[in-house]
Amino acid sequence: MGSILGNSVTRVEDPRMLTEGGTYVEDVDLPGGVWLTYVRAPFAHARITSIDTSAAQEAAGVVAVFTGDDVAPLGLAPHTNPTFPEAMRRPYVARGVVRYVGQPVVAVIAESRAAGMDAADLVFVDYDPLPSVNDPEEALHDEIVLFPDAGTNVVMRFASKTSADFSGCEVVVEERIVNQRMSAAPIEGRSGAAYWTADGRLVHYSACQGAHPTRDLLAELYGLDPSDVRVVVPDMGGGFGAKSRTYPEELALGYYARAVGRPVRWTESRSENMVAMPHGRAQIQRVTMGGTRDGTITAYQLDVVQDAGAYPLIGAFLPMMTQRMTTGVYDIRNVGFSGVSLVTNAVSTTAFRGAGRPEAAVAIERMVDRFAAEVGMDPADVRRKNLVPRFTEAYTTGIGTVYDVGDYPEALERALHAARYAELRAEQARRRSAGDPITLGIGIAVYVEITAGAAGTEFGSVEVLAGGRLRVCSGATPYGQGHETTWAMIVSDATGVPLDAIEVVHGDTDVVRSGSLTVGSRSVQIAGAALAVATDDLVEQARKRAADLLEADAGDVVLDTAAGRFHVAGTPALTVGWADLAGPGAEPLVAETDFDPPMPTFPFGAHVAVVEVDTETGHVRLRQHVAVDDAGKLLNPLLAEGQVHGGIAQGVAQALLEAVHYDENGQPTTTNFADYPVISAAELPLFDVVHMETPTWVNPLGAKGVGESGTIGAIPAVYNAVIDALGHLGVRHLETPLTPERVWRAVHSAPEGYPAP
């Protein structure tokens, strides 16, 4: 019997989810629980002059009402990065000034959600509007300073050791690229519940991407030992990075619960989610690329302005991730990067699928196409000329990032072959010659990204239970990836215990010793590796115990993983099973580890997108999408494809549809799914996934992350495809999303000398 690893195994989670249904924070039974409703600011920037809560306090069903002054004992929310300016810390409930539409101003606790909403409408807040700044490039001038005590809107600055020198370039191209604000739009918005036990412990349920980091945040906030806080993360309806931080609205639940002496729960509405849950992307880039007319890229400079929103979170730090991936898959030594993150009067920005890496890929892949058009070469040929050759040992890029392994030329060729690239170019030429108003565009993107880029270990343990069942504990928090299936496969492969006899436990700090955030596509390569190491240890312990039962030397005992039984080598007739090792009175048989990888891994791939653009309406149809995503050793190709499919969908959404908008006064205009067009199956073709495996040496599984790769490859591929479809009409560049209106306007304002569509 061969290894189960590398096979497409259906998810063991699905039968429960499809029959019984999941258990989400909203489903947790909390007897005597009350509801929290926030009164939110209607202004982007204003001074609070007075608050009248008297009517709300007297309303039916109201338990308590809290203003910012009432919550002041909590202090200010801790920064996600200790280097952020102290003056920019956020209050749990606004005091004195509000800095974005949707900021909590009053907290209402009521017997029901409906009673809380009704009472919230009775709160009267008087505001004195202040000038607002919503454009981060304007915020850079400090004409309107959000935090006077900071004296500036700058949160952080970033810079490489050198800047690119373009003096020897024959051709130089420049563009301004906008990675628009995006909403993660998870099916389940933010949700939490908290209560205090009789012995003074805080119990907190959370829809977040890491139970233990949330526990540690709460322990710090309430002055408790971590052992006095229990955090439980039940099933979760999507995270996409936006739930990687537990936000002040939820962290304060324990405060309200202690004040009213009852469990308090909070789940935001969809409208609240759209205006108040931190957004992603929001990065403006000035990009310059230079080289020779034979297609050699010799210089590259990337300068970014990052919108951090009103209070800096992870988003303010993400230009660092963009910097690390500046040169992408190309061998460019003459390179430079600069960046600055700034506060603005909009909701904060945070991680969103890819978190700084899609921005880097968009910048360089757009500019490779732009450069190719300028020198009159096929964009595939320019890439072939400049890709880093295959490498199996550490490679240091021109910006100083160390990659593990890569074969970018092979990924490109596989993608072009699968897409039938030459035939597509011939079809494009025929359409252009015939003056077809439905133009064809072919977009290429070759990318590399960093996964498990943040330092940190992950915990894993395996224990033998009565009857020979196994209990697996993991510090990683799943939210749709299929962890239960993958962890069971890793353990089953090494022990021979069938999947249905393996229990996977996660998301409960009272049960799992430790854990980290599930972010950055780190799960398999760190959490999975931890379980692989722990399982090997468990098997070794079990082999020694089996040797005692078999009255043999431990060195002569082997495990038959096909049968899940131990026997003396060469004598398979007499065997001992896992159940025999955990009989009555036996010492516990358990192994655990904290896996600490020596470095991140760098998945890579190539995408080819084919679009049809109606030049008469501006409508874009994605006709075909080919994805080669190399994530090292694939433990379960079925789950990997699912991650790639989801990633592509969110990447296409950024290129064509989705964007968060604010008007000139800082008012959000995309507050629901009627205004914010979340992508659906109707806008997507069937994806052509081409497998490629280049195992890494960074962990024992040879695996790299795959959760964000599809997004990172898809955005620039689709982006390039649409511009390619319009290139013969004189269109060289557009901002995303490439909506019908934006495309139509570009087509009908073509430069002089280009044919009308």
Side-chain angles (χ1 to χ4, degrees), residues 44-407:
H45 198 194
R47 186 172 289 107
I48 300 171
T49 57
S50 66
I51 301 177
D52 184 353
T53 64
S54 57
Q57 289 174 330
E58 296 172 1
V62 170
V63 176
V65 179
F66 299 87
T67 66
D69 289 340
D70 298 324
V71 186
L74 273 181
L76 300 172
H79 273 322
T80 56
N81 187 306
T83 66
F84 291 166
E86 179 68 15
M88 295 181 181
R89 287 174 62 187
R90 175 183 161 178
Y92 291 88
V93 176
R95 297 183 69 198
V97 175
V98 295
R99 293 182 173 87
Y100 67 94
V101 172
Q103 183 169 357
V105 178
V106 174
V108 178
I109 312 296
E111 297 288 352
S112 68
R113 192 200 313 256
M117 294 174 65
D118 288 343
D121 288 339
L122 300 176
V123 174
F124 180 79
V125 185
D126 190 33
Y127 297 94
D128 181 12
L130 298 169
S132 64
V133 58
N134 301 103
D135 184 338
E137 291 179 310
E138 292 182 9
L140 190 57
H141 301 306
D142 284 337
E143 293 176 358
I144 299 170
V145 177
L146 270 64
F147 298 90
D149 289 347
T152 180
N153 292 321
V154 173
V155 181
M156 297 186 79
R157 291 186 181 272
F158 314 82
S160 57
K161 293 180 180 179
T162 60
S163 297
D165 178 8
F166 294 90
S167 60
C169 296
E170 296 176 349
V171 176
V172 176
V173 290
E174 301 176 75
E175 289 294 351
R176 179 180 181 271
I177 298 174
V178 176
N179 291 264
Q180 71 271 23
R181 270 183 175 259
M182 302 279 291
S183 171
I187 293 176
E188 178 195 29
R190 294 177 295 174
S191 185
Y195 66 91
W196 295 85
T197 64
D199 58 354
R201 294 190 79 213
L202 173 61
V203 179
H204 189 108
Y205 289 85
S206 180
C208 68
Q209 293 179 216
H212 293 83
T214 295
R215 178 200 64 184
D216 296 343
L217 267 175
L218 291 168
E220 177 186 356
L221 174 60
Y222 293 103
L224 301 171
D225 187 274
S227 63
D228 289 326
V229 180
R230 180 188 183 190
V231 172
V232 180
V233 180
D235 293 316
M236 185 164 50
F240 309 115
K243 293 181 183 175
S244 57
R245 178 75 173 182
T246 304
Y247 302 108
E249 290 101 319
E250 182 184 340
L251 293 174
L253 286 172
Y255 184 86
Y256 304 132
R258 183 158 54 189
V260 302
R262 297 169 65 179
V264 176
R265 63 195 321 155
W266 168 72
T267 300
E268 65 183 354
S269 68
R270 178 57 58 188
S271 293
E272 284 182 295
N273 177 269
M274 295 299 293
V275 302
M277 185 181 194
H279 297 146
R281 307 291 188 254
Q283 188 182 104
I284 300 170
Q285 305 167 330
R286 303 279 180 171
V287 200
T288 308
M289 179 175 285
T292 58
R293 293 199 174 277
D294 68 355
T296 302
I297 300 169
T298 60
Y300 181 65
Q301 179 72 33
L302 174 59
D303 303 306
V304 308
V305 175
Q306 176 69 54
D307 185 351
Y311 299 92
L313 291 174
I314 299 168
F317 182 73
L318 289 181
M320 178 61 73
M321 297 298 286
T322 306
Q323 177 177 345
R324 294 174 78 174
M325 305 311 300
T326 297
T327 56
V329 294
Y330 302 103
D331 187 14
I332 308 172
R333 296 289 144 183
N334 178 10
V335 60
F337 178 93
S338 76
V340 58
S341 57
L342 304 112
V343 289
T344 62
N345 291 116
V347 70
S348 303
T349 57
T350 189
F352 175 54
R353 204 166 193 163
R357 292 104 77 200
E359 293 87 328
V362 166
I364 196 160
E365 288 303 299
R366 271 299 302 127
M367 294 309 292
V368 169
D369 265 35
R370 185 73 181 80
F371 178 75
E374 195 69 20
V375 299
M377 290 180 63
D378 188 294
D381 291 335
V382 172
R383 287 175 169 83
R384 290 182 174 113
K385 195 175 188 69
N386 293 281
L387 288 173
V388 174
R390 182 177 186 271
F391 60 97
T392 57
E393 297 180 354
Y395 167 85
T396 303
T397 71
I399 205 70
T401 304
V402 180
Y403 296 170
D404 55 345
V405 295
D407 191 351

Side-chain angles (χ1 to χ4, degrees), residues 477-559:
T477 299
Y479 41 95
Q481 302 94 324
H483 282 186
E484 292 181 28
T485 305
T486 306
W487 301 165
M489 289 176 64
I490 292 171
V491 174
S492 176
D493 184 66
T495 62
V497 175
L499 296 181
D500 59 7
I502 299 174
E503 171 192 3
V504 178
V505 179
H506 52 77
D508 187 335
T509 60
D510 271 11
V511 179
V512 182
R513 173 170 60 78
S514 63
S516 301
L517 285 172
T518 300
V519 296
S521 302
R522 73 195 302 271
S523 295
V524 168
Q525 61 188 294
I526 302 184
L531 289 171
V533 172
T535 306
D536 287 345
D537 183 12
L538 182 77
V539 169
E540 182 61 22
Q541 293 182 45
R543 190 170 62 83
K544 294 176 180 177
R545 186 172 296 185
D548 292 338
L549 296 178
L550 293 167
E551 298 181 351
D553 185 272
D556 296 330
V557 174
V558 296
L559 171 61

